[in-house]
């Protein structure tokens, strides 16, 4: 009896068909998993060294400032509390630490390791200096490498494809402004 293709296909049991084990593939999968676990351990150890606190942002959170937070850089997924007068913004790497690691917000491959510096000046104004290779967009205005711009409350700051809102703790900044004015008057007397 001569079998056609359909009859032959019916006689083959799928369970009897198996591919030989691919040692190269298994080794590659094992190495990939091991590297991922090492990276997770490294990141967990780094958490304690971060200078900027990161909080998860949920849908309807209103930004509440404490008496130590000068400003907040709020993204879609995370918010960064600025508690020192100067912070670095960029993409952290094994050999490079920044205060605000933008990789926590999303894909940051096009962002420089040290993309920007946000600083509270003695005038009680925040300035953003672009130290990266690509422009940073502030309220639709490109800030080119080497340039700086004043950051006002509710400024929209875009690093590559990541968008943030810069929120200023108006009460604390006003208190700082009043204190520096008071100190300036005392020096002039």
């Amino acid at each position: 009896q001569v079998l056609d293709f359909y009859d032959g296909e019916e006689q083959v049991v799928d369970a009897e068909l198996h591919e030989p084990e691919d040692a190269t593939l298994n080794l590659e999968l094992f190495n990939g998993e091991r590297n991922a676990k090492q990276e997770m351990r490294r990141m967990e150890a780094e958490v304690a060294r971060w200078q900027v606190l990161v909080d998860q942002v949920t849908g309807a959170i209103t930004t509440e400032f404490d008496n130590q937070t000068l400003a907040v850089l709020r993204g879609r997924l995370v918010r960064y509390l600025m508690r020192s007068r100067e912070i670095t913004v960029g993409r952290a790497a094994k050999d490079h630490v920044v205060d605000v690691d933008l990789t926590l917000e999303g894909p940051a491959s096009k962002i420089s390791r040290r993309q920007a510096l946000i600083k509270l000046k003695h005038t009680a104004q925040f300035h953003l200096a672009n130290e990266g290779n690509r422009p940073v967009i502030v309220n639709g205005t490109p800030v080119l490498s080497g340039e700086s711009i004043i950051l006002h409350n509710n400024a929209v700051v875009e690093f590559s494809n990541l968008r943030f809102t810069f929120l200023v703790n108006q009460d604390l900044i006003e208190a700082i402004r009043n204190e520096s004015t008071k100190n300036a008057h005392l020096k002039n007397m």
Side-chain angles (χ1 to χ4, degrees), residues 37 42 61 73 75 99 103-105 107 109 135 153 164 170 183:
K37 286 178 182 177
R42 184 189 66 77
I61 281 187
L73 191 61
D99 298 320
T103 60
L104 299 172
E105 178 69 17
S109 62
N153 190 32
F164 295 87
Q170 303 283 17
N183 289 340

Side-chain angles (χ1 to χ4, degrees), residues 46-66:
E46 249 182 38
V47 170
R49 291 185 281 163
W50 288 348
Q51 295 175 1
V52 176
L53 300 176
V54 179
D55 290 339
Q56 288 293 335
V57 174
T58 58
I61 281 187
T62 57
T63 304
E64 294 181 8
F65 298 104
D66 58 21

Side-chain angles (χ1 to χ4, degrees), residues 56-151:
Q56 288 293 335
V57 174
T58 58
I61 281 187
T62 57
T63 304
E64 294 181 8
F65 298 104
D66 58 21
N67 61 354
Q68 296 177 356
T69 303
L70 299 167
V72 173
L73 191 61
R74 186 176 69 197
R76 188 175 51 84
L77 300 175
V78 294
R79 68 183 179 136
Y80 303 94
L81 306 179
M82 183 172 175
R83 292 190 167 166
S84 62
R85 293 180 82 92
E86 181 177 304
I87 60 170
T88 55
V89 180
R91 181 172 46 89
K94 288 181 182 177
D95 60 340
H96 188 79
V97 177
V98 290
D99 298 320
V100 176
D101 182 7
L102 297 177
T103 60
L104 299 172
E105 178 69 17
S109 62
K110 303 222 185 259
I111 294 171
S112 298
R113 289 194 177 135
R114 186 172 168 124
Q115 181 66 52
L117 178 73
I118 298 176
K119 188 173 187 176
L120 176 62
K121 300 276 188 157
H122 66 281
T123 59
Q125 290 181 318
F126 289 93
H127 288 254
L128 180 139
N130 184 357
E131 298 181 348
N133 296 325
R134 297 177 185 261
V136 174
I137 310 297
V138 177
N139 291 331
T141 304
V143 181
L144 303 177
S145 183
E147 294 180 353
S148 68
I149 191 169
I150 295 174
L151 283 179

Side-chain angles (χ1 to χ4, degrees), residues 178-189:
N178 290 340
E179 187 67 28
S180 68
T181 304
K182 185 172 130 183
N183 289 340
H185 287 303
L186 291 175
K187 283 183 181 180
N188 291 334
M189 292 181 136

